């Protein structure tokens, strides 16, 4: 039997470096843990038989432990965020992966093209390495994450009113929101918005992997995307390394 | 004028021993270390007594009721010996036009007590506000001694050394400033531009009021937080100083105000206790000389020292809901519903994608 021959050839396009990939999965773990421990903290319950308070401490699931996990994961998220900022300043392509270029015509064209593609009006969109709609969404999600870090550490720090966090974040945040009651509320609401983003994000990755066949799903583990021959993305110089773009254009 | 605290004490026949005991007591009350006792004694011996003018606006006089129940120092001690409460609309024996008048009497030749006090202690007195200030209808919702209250608020602040707002009404606006705020009431800090020390609470703990006044009288401004509250009394959440905190950490909660857990005295977090978001001394000072406080008596804290606490959802609910037109819903319920809708939409999208891009496999291979 003659096997099916793939007529179209694909470039292996190296996009995400190891640091970025590790960051992504650490971020994922932290957000996952934070969201579910956060739900517990907002509406706690006791698991197991209750005899007396000392007995409760022996049980694995108690408020104290869940809060400890929540705070620890919060620190992971914070240092992840700082690490991502570090990547942004040290590498140009890592900077533009997260910052939308609203001032460029092709960027808007990309957004509308992708929207048309997602709503099935068009069968494909203009060639892109990083879809501008996602780039915009990631930017705003990073702002939401920053909001959660900010409000979270403000509340966390205020249990020690003269400590570092209270002085650095707590006091002025409290004055800004008027009351910690409001802080609790907004921290909770934004957590849900991030959870909704995660749902859409995961779906869109699968969708792109199935339909556009650029290796979207595996790119965050292998770092590699696949582009068909003759595919010259608009945003290549923005988000990818120079060597890869040259290779794609056939300049080397 | 000119008498120091110690001189006033001597005149009242209080012994040196009693005086030193008093100094030690108030040192602890002001949140100062025992090593500060000599400095407090020195201040009491050398500083002149500070006159206090106490104004009442839109309020229930609950703060005064609280103040006169101060256990340490006794309010009578405080009023008669420590501060000179020169003007107050509810506590003095005197009343009427000659007591209250400020402004017009000077012109007519007669001088009212308030006029005299302001003239005599210009730039020296502590001005204490109790109650919110209505601005609506040109301030006519609160007339004191024939004048709109807001005029006194601004006028008397001009010559005051320090301003202090006692209670939630004066500090945050209080119940009359709650939605929809028909009298357009505002906190005092909206009207004056001077340093203002806020002692919120509905009412504040008596020892907190007296402790703050004493600190102002002896050492000037105490350290304040970003919202203008004295740190020694408002530095901690009630939650962090609560004796029921171990139940919170253990995850043992009262689910309904009358359930078994409530009888056992577990944490009131789930029935809306505002301890985790309220800054006050109820957890450590407690009330009436340390007898009890709301949480100890089994009622969740309603956050009465917190900004705009009247507007923050039902008191016996953990978190306020998300306000949609005509309904208010729990954030988790909205979240789950939004997640379900999103999941549904994504499923529909996936099916549509399957149909729309069905033939593509054959084109490419």
């Amino acid at each position: 039997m003659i096997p099916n021959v793939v007529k179209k050839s694909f470039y292996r396009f190296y996009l995400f470096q190891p640091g970025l990939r590790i960051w992504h999965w650490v971020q994922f773990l932290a957000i996952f843990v934070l969201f579910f421990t956060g739900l517990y903290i907002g509406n706690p319950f006791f698991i197991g038989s209750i005899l007396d308070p000392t007995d409760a401490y022996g049980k694995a699931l108690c408020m104290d432990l869940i809060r400890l996990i929540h705070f620890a994961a919060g620190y992971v998220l914070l240092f992840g965020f700082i690490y991502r900022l570090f990547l942004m300043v040290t590498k140009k392509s890592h900077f533009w992966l997260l910052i939308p270029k609203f001032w460029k015509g092709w960027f808007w064209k990309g957004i509308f093209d992708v929207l048309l593609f997602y709503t099935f009006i068009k069968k494909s969109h203009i060639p892109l390495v990083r879809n501008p709609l996602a780039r915009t969404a990631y930017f705003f999600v990073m702002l939401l994450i920053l909001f959660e870090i900010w409000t979270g550490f403000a509340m966390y720090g205020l249990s020690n009113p003269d400590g570092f966090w209270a002085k650095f974040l707590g006091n002025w945040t409290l004055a800004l929101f008027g009351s910690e009651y409001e802080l609790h509320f907004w921290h909770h609401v934004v957590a849900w918005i991030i959870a909704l983003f995660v749902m859409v994000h995961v779906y869109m990755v699968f969708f792109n992997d199935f339909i556009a066949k650029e290796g979207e799903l595996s790119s965050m583990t292998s770092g590699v995307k696949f582009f068909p021959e003759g595919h010259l993305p608009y945003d290549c110089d923005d988000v990818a390394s120079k060597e890869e773009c040259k290779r794609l254009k056939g300049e080397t | 004028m000119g008498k120091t605290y110690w001189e006033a004490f001597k005149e009242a026949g209080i012994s040196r021993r009693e005086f030193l005991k008093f100094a030690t007591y108030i040192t602890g009350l002001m949140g100062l270390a025992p090593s500060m006792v000599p400095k407090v004694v020195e201040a009491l011996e050398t500083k002149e007594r500070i006159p206090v003018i106490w104004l009442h606006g839109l309020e229930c006089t609950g703060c005064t009721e609280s103040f006169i129940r101060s256990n340490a120092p006794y309010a009578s001690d405080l009023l008669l010996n420590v501060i000179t409460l020169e003007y107050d609309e509810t506590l003095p024996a005197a009343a009427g036009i000659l007591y209250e008048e400020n402004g017009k009497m000077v012109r007519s030749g007669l001088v009212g007590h308030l006029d005299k006090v302001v003239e005599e202690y210009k730039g020296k007195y502590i001005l204490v506000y109790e109650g919110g200030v209505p601005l609506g209808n040109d301030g006519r919702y609160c007339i004191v001694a024939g004048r709109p209250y807001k005029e006194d608020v601004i006028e008397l602040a001009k010559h005051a050394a320090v301003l202090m707002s006692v209670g939630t009404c004066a500090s945050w606006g209080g119940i009359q400033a709650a939605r929809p705020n028909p009298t357009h009431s505002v906190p005092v800090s909206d009207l004056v531009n001077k340093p203002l020390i806020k002692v919120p609470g509905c009412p504040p703990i008596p020892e907190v009021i007296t402790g703050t006044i004493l600190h102002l009288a002896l050492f000037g401004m105490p350290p304040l937080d970003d919202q203008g509250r004295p740190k020694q009394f408002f530095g901690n959440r009630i939650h962090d100083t609560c004796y029921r905190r171990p139940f919170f950490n253990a995850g043992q909660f009262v689910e309904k105000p009358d359930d078994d857990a409530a009888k056992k005295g577990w944490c009131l977090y789930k029935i809306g206790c505002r301890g985790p978001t309220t800054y006050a001394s109820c957890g450590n000072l407690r009330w009436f000389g340390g007898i009890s406080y709301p949480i100890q008596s089994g009622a969740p804290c309603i956050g009465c020292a917190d900004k705009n606490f009247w507007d923050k959802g039902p008191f016996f609910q953990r978190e306020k809901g998300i306000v949609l037109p005509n309904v208010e819903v729990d954030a988790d319920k909205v979240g789950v519903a939004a997640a379900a809708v999103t999941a549904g939409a994504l499923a529909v999208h996936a099916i549509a994608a399957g149909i729309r891009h069905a033939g593509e496999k054959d084109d490419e291979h």
Side-chain angles (χ1 to χ4, degrees):
Chain A
M1 258 180 78
I2 305 161
N4 281 342
V5 178
V6 179
K7 287 176 194 160
K8 225 170 186 174
S9 60
F10 280 84
Y11 282 112
R12 265 176 69 90
F13 189 82
Y14 187 51
L15 182 62
F16 299 125
Q17 299 192 341
L20 204 68
R21 281 177 270 153
I22 293 167
W23 167 80
H24 175 270
W25 293 112
V26 169
Q27 184 97 339
F28 156 73
L29 270 179
I31 290 175
F32 185 82
V33 169
L34 281 165
F35 183 69
F36 287 102
T37 52
L39 283 187
Y40 176 85
I41 293 166
N43 188 16
F45 47 88
F46 185 74
I47 296 170
S49 67
I50 303 167
L51 298 168
D52 65 280
T54 47
D55 173 67
Y57 273 106
K59 300 279 191 292
L61 264 177
C62 68
M63 191 66 153
D64 207 22
L65 185 78
I66 301 277
R67 272 162 52 93
L68 182 70
I69 296 169
H70 192 78
F71 299 148
Y75 269 110
V76 171
L77 191 72
L78 169 71
F79 287 116
F81 196 88
I82 294 171
Y83 175 68
R84 189 63 184 81
L85 291 182
F86 169 76
L87 288 182
M88 279 174 99
V89 289
T90 50
K91 220 163 156 40
K92 186 181 139 265
S93 60
H94 287 169
F95 181 83
W96 290 114
L97 275 172
L98 274 184
I99 304 296
K101 276 196 170 174
F102 288 132
W103 56 93
K104 294 274 192 203
W106 65 259
F107 194 85
W108 285 103
K109 188 175 185 306
I111 287 182
F112 290 119
D113 240 39
V114 170
L115 272 175
L116 293 176
F117 173 60
Y118 282 174
T119 50
F120 310 122
I121 293 164
K122 285 179 77 173
K123 278 210 154 188
S124 61
H125 56 77
I126 59 168
L128 296 156
V129 175
R130 167 82 132 194
N131 116 37
L133 192 64
R135 202 161 135 186
T136 311
Y138 298 156
F139 174 72
F140 285 108
V141 165
M142 288 303 275
L143 289 186
L144 291 180
I145 289 173
L146 186 65
F147 178 87
E148 290 295 88
I149 292 174
W150 165 40
T151 52
F153 276 96
M155 291 186 288
Y156 170 71
L158 280 162
S159 47
N160 179 12
D162 276 324
F164 167 76
W165 284 117
K167 282 183 177 154
F168 180 60
L169 282 180
N171 294 326
W172 64 266
T173 307
L174 202 61
L176 188 72
F177 279 78
S179 146
E180 208 174 315
Y181 189 70
E182 300 290 325
L183 266 177
H184 278 224
F185 176 74
W186 287 110
H187 192 74
H188 196 159
V189 168
V190 172
W192 269 107
I193 298 174
I194 293 175
L196 293 182
F197 160 81
V198 170
M199 287 177 69
V200 176
H201 172 63
V202 171
Y203 172 78
M204 279 309 174
V205 169
F206 273 88
F207 172 82
N208 272 301
D209 197 74
F210 285 144
I211 308 297
K213 297 183 180 64
E214 290 175 353
E216 191 83 27
L217 191 55
S218 62
S219 66
M220 214 15 99
T221 46
S222 65
V224 171
K225 276 195 173 192
F226 294 91
F227 293 126
E229 227 173 31
H231 180 94
L232 291 174
Y234 280 74
D235 56 349
C236 196
D237 292 326
D238 263 10
V239 297
S241 66
K242 274 195 188 113
E243 303 80 58
E244 284 293 296
C245 291
K246 274 186 187 164
R247 200 169 62 81
L248 203 63
K249 288 177 198 158
E251 287 175 10
T252 48
Chain B
M1 174 75 189
K3 249 184 277 176
T4 68
Y5 296 95
W6 168 230
E7 281 163 359
F9 272 56
K10 269 195 291 194
E11 247 171 53
I14 293 167
S15 69
R16 179 72 182 171
R17 183 182 163 81
E18 285 297 313
F19 169 72
L20 290 177
K21 271 163 81 177
F22 174 80
T24 312
Y25 205 105
I26 63 168
T27 309
L29 184 68
M30 288 187 286
L32 302 173
S35 57
M36 286 291 283
V37 173
K39 287 203 175 150
V40 172
V41 172
E42 196 192 330
L44 285 169
E45 283 172 340
T46 53
K47 294 233 170 159
E48 283 174 7
R49 292 194 302 162
I50 290 196
V52 174
I53 294 179
W54 190 304
L55 297 179
H56 296 259
L58 275 192
E59 43 99 2
C60 68
T61 325
C63 299
T64 300
E65 290 287 344
S66 170
F67 173 66
I68 60 173
R69 275 158 186 76
S70 175
N71 250 349
Y74 284 106
S76 52
D77 275 352
L78 194 79
L79 289 179
L80 301 172
N81 301 322
V82 182
I83 59 170
T84 53
L85 188 65
E86 287 289 349
Y87 180 83
D88 185 314
E89 282 126 6
T90 51
L91 294 177
I97 194 164
L98 281 171
Y99 184 68
E100 294 168 337
E101 195 47 76
N102 174 34
K104 284 186 207 127
M105 299 289 269
V106 180
R107 269 169 264 141
S108 61
L110 290 160
V111 174
H113 182 65
L114 185 55
D115 271 334
K116 245 194 299 190
V117 172
V118 173
E119 195 52 41
E120 194 178 339
Y121 298 109
K122 240 178 198 175
K124 284 181 187 162
Y125 59 87
I126 298 177
L127 185 58
V128 178
Y129 296 104
E130 182 182 339
V133 193
L135 299 183
N137 208 354
D138 211 17
R140 282 190 189 87
Y141 292 115
C142 184
I143 304 281
V144 178
R147 298 180 298 274
Y149 177 57
K150 67 165 188 174
E151 286 179 14
D152 276 2
V153 166
I154 298 165
E155 192 59 33
L156 292 171
K158 281 181 192 162
H159 308 297
V162 188
L163 311 179
M164 175 175 164
S165 62
V166 166
T168 292
C169 295
S171 301
W172 308 128
I175 190 164
Q176 52 276 332
R179 279 194 302 266
N181 193 357
T183 56
H184 187 41
S185 287
V186 295
V188 170
S189 54
D190 282 13
L191 294 174
V192 293
N193 283 326
K194 278 194 166 174
L196 174 85
I197 178 164
K198 286 178 178 166
V199 183
C202 193
I205 301 172
E207 284 78 16
V208 170
I209 305 177
T210 53
T212 310
I213 293 180
L214 282 171
H215 199 290
L216 282 174
L218 297 179
F219 299 110
M221 261 315 188
L224 304 180
D225 70 4
D226 281 20
Q227 299 187 57
R229 304 174 294 192
K231 269 188 182 173
Q232 66 258 55
F233 299 118
F234 294 91
N236 283 98
R237 299 181 183 109
I238 292 173
H239 188 56
D240 291 336
T241 52
C242 184
Y243 81 104
R244 292 196 188 202
R245 181 60 184 266
F247 293 107
F248 173 85
N249 285 355
Q252 293 174 302
F253 300 99
V254 173
E255 299 283 343
K256 277 185 205 149
D258 59 347
D259 67 2
D260 215 35
K263 286 170 194 155
K264 286 178 182 157
W266 289 355
C267 178
L268 301 162
Y269 178 68
K270 286 189 80 175
I271 55 167
C273 181
R274 301 284 193 265
T277 56
T278 307
Y279 291 74
S281 300
C282 300
N284 33 25
L285 275 181
R286 306 195 187 180
W287 281 77
F288 308 120
I291 293 172
S292 183
Y293 71 115
I295 293 168
Q296 193 171 348
S297 64
C301 166
I302 59 170
C304 75
D306 205 10
K307 195 173 183 178
N308 304 333
F309 79 99
W310 294 106
D311 289 332
K312 290 194 179 113
F315 288 151
F316 302 110
Q317 190 176 301
R318 229 280 304 147
E319 201 174 47
K320 71 172 175 182
I322 294 170
V323 182
L324 304 170
N326 298 326
V327 268
E328 197 175 306
V329 214
D330 186 279
D332 278 339
K333 281 183 190 143
V334 174
V336 170
V341 169
T342 312
L346 294 179
V348 170
H349 192 272
I351 293 164
I355 297 164
R356 170 68 167 149
H357 296 277
E360 282 175 14
K361 213 173 202 172
D362 300 325
D363 300 346
E364 288 187 13
H365 293 273

